[in-house]
Amino acid sequence: MKLLVIDIQKGITDERLYAFESFISNTTKIIETARQNNVEVIYVQHDDGPGSGFSIGDRDFEIADQVAPRDGEKIFYKTINSAFGNKELTEYLEQSNEKDLMIVGLQTNFCIDATVKSAFERGYNVIIPQGTNSTFDNDYMDGETTYRYYNEMMWPKRFAQCPSMEEAIGKIKQ
C-alpha cells in the first residue's frame, strides 16, 4: 500500500473546509499510522502556474504545517486535477507494482475525485478513509452535501472503498 496526500496546501487548508477540525485530525492520524507501519507517504501539490499566487514559491502553495512531509518523503507537483497528470508519479507508482492506494486530501469534488477515478481506471484498489477529504461550499451544494455525495454515493462500490477510520487503520497495519 501507498498513501497519497493530495493538495493539503496552506492556501486552501482552513476553517472554510467542511468539518475542518475532524478532517485534519483524521488525516494526520492516517499519515502517522502509515509512517509507523512502513507504508510510504507520498505528497502531491497542485500548481496553478506562475503569477497565480498558488504556485511554486508562493506561501499558499506550501504543504500545510499540520501534515508536513518528513525528510525523504516524496513530493510531486501537478498542474491538472488528477495526481496522475504528473508522469513521474505515474511511473513511480507503476514501477512499485503496488496496487493498493489510500488517498486523502483536498478537494473532494476536484482533485480527489479526479485522482480516484484515474487510479481506478489504472487498476488500483483505491481506499478513501472516511473523514480524510474535504471541500468548500460551492454555488450548487454546501461542503457537507458535496462530501457526502462523493463519499457515500459516487465512490463506494464503483471506484473505491470508503472504510471507517478504524477499518482504514486496520488496512494500513496489515
Side-chain angles (χ1 to χ4, degrees):
M1 176 181 300
K2 296 204 182 288
L3 174 61
L4 296 183
V5 180
I6 298 176
D7 297 353
I8 305 180
Q9 294 166 254
K10 290 182 179 179
I12 57 173
T13 305
D14 58 40
E15 294 79 17
R16 295 174 296 165
L17 292 168
Y18 164 67
F20 174 69
E21 294 297 331
S22 62
F23 161 69
I24 289 295
S25 175
N26 290 337
T27 302
T28 57
K29 188 171 186 174
I30 288 291
I31 292 168
E32 287 307 312
T33 302
R35 288 172 175 155
Q36 292 165 2
N37 289 275
N38 299 313
V39 170
E40 184 176 15
V41 180
I42 300 169
Y43 288 82
V44 180
Q45 288 173 268
H46 188 83
D47 185 341
D48 276 341
S52 67
F54 205 77
S55 186
I56 295 170
D58 297 326
R59 183 196 173 283
D60 286 349
F61 175 79
E62 295 172 12
I63 296 170
D65 295 335
Q66 301 97 318
V67 299
R70 289 191 178 159
D71 288 342
E73 290 179 329
K74 294 190 178 333
I75 302 171
F76 294 92
Y77 305 134
K78 64 181 180 60
T79 58
I80 65 170
N81 285 350
S82 174
F84 289 92
N86 180 296
K87 290 180 183 178
E88 290 83 17
L89 172 63
T90 300
E91 290 170 4
Y92 179 74
L93 292 173
E94 287 172 359
Q95 291 169 1
S96 77
N97 292 319
E98 180 58 61
K99 289 314 236 177
D100 292 331
L101 286 182
M102 189 170 282
I103 298 173
V104 301
L106 300 173
Q107 293 182 61
T108 304
N109 48 325
F110 293 106
C111 299
I112 300 300
D113 182 55
T115 301
V116 165
K117 291 174 179 170
S118 292
F120 173 81
E121 290 172 349
R122 288 170 170 79
Y124 290 97
N125 174 41
V126 180
I127 304 158
I128 309 162
Q130 292 175 11
T132 61
N133 63 87
S134 187
T135 195
F136 303 116
D137 293 349
N138 63 57
D139 291 343
Y140 302 97
M141 294 186 279
D142 63 20
E144 178 182 7
T145 303
T146 304
Y147 171 87
R148 292 187 64 208
Y149 173 79
Y150 286 94
N151 287 270
E152 297 173 16
M153 197 282 287
M154 180 58 70
W155 297 328
K157 298 181 184 168
R158 290 179 181 87
F159 302 104
Q161 300 172 42
C162 297
S164 68
M165 280 292 293
E166 182 178 308
E167 293 168 324
I169 287 170
K171 289 178 181 294
I172 292 171
K173 290 180 176 181
Q174 288 179 346

